[in-house]
């Protein structure tokens, strides 16, 4: 599975995903150029790790409407972003290994 991860990765999510044999591309900023460079058009999952970049969900879905959106971060999503998000996981409740395994 192709995963585009946007944001920081303090919980080792990239390593956990790669251990499950997922292909991971990391983009520091979830703007249109950053997402396109990371391969959002070919991605199966958009994984956001920073709530401050929630607006990037709309951009990602515009570029790839079939994308599965997963947020792995503490906090709450704005309403517009929550409607486009398939799954929100709090890192305090579920570890990165479990998330990678379930994807």
């Amino acid at each position: 599975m192709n995963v585009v991860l946007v944001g920081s990765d303090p919980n080792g999510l990239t390593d956990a995903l790669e251990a499950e044999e997922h292909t991971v591309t990391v983009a520091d900023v979830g703007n249109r150029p950053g997402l396109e460079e990371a391969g959002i058009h070919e991605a199966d999952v958009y994984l956001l790790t920073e709530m401050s970049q929630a607006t990037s969900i709309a951009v990602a879905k515009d570029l790839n409407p079939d994308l599965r959106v997963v947020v792995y971060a503490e906090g709450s999503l704005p309403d517009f972003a929550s409607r486009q998000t398939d799954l929100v996981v709090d890192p305090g409740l579920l570890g990165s290994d479990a998330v990678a395994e379930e994807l």
Side-chain angles (χ1 to χ4, degrees), residues 14-79:
T14 301
D15 292 337
L17 289 164
E18 289 174 345
E20 291 292 327
E21 300 184 11
H22 299 301
T23 302
V24 181
T25 306
V26 178
D28 293 328
V29 179
N31 59 16
R32 187 178 199 95
L35 292 173
E36 288 178 335
E37 185 176 315
I40 198 71
H41 295 289
E42 296 81 29
D44 301 300
V45 174
Y46 177 64
L47 185 52
L48 182 65
T49 62
E50 295 178 3
M51 290 292 188
S52 63
Q53 295 197 54
T55 56
S56 66
I57 293 171
V59 177
K61 289 294 278 188
D62 182 52
L63 294 169
N64 183 346
D66 298 325
L67 200 59
R68 184 171 169 207
V69 177
V70 177
V71 176
Y72 187 66
E74 294 179 359
S76 298
L77 281 171
D79 286 340

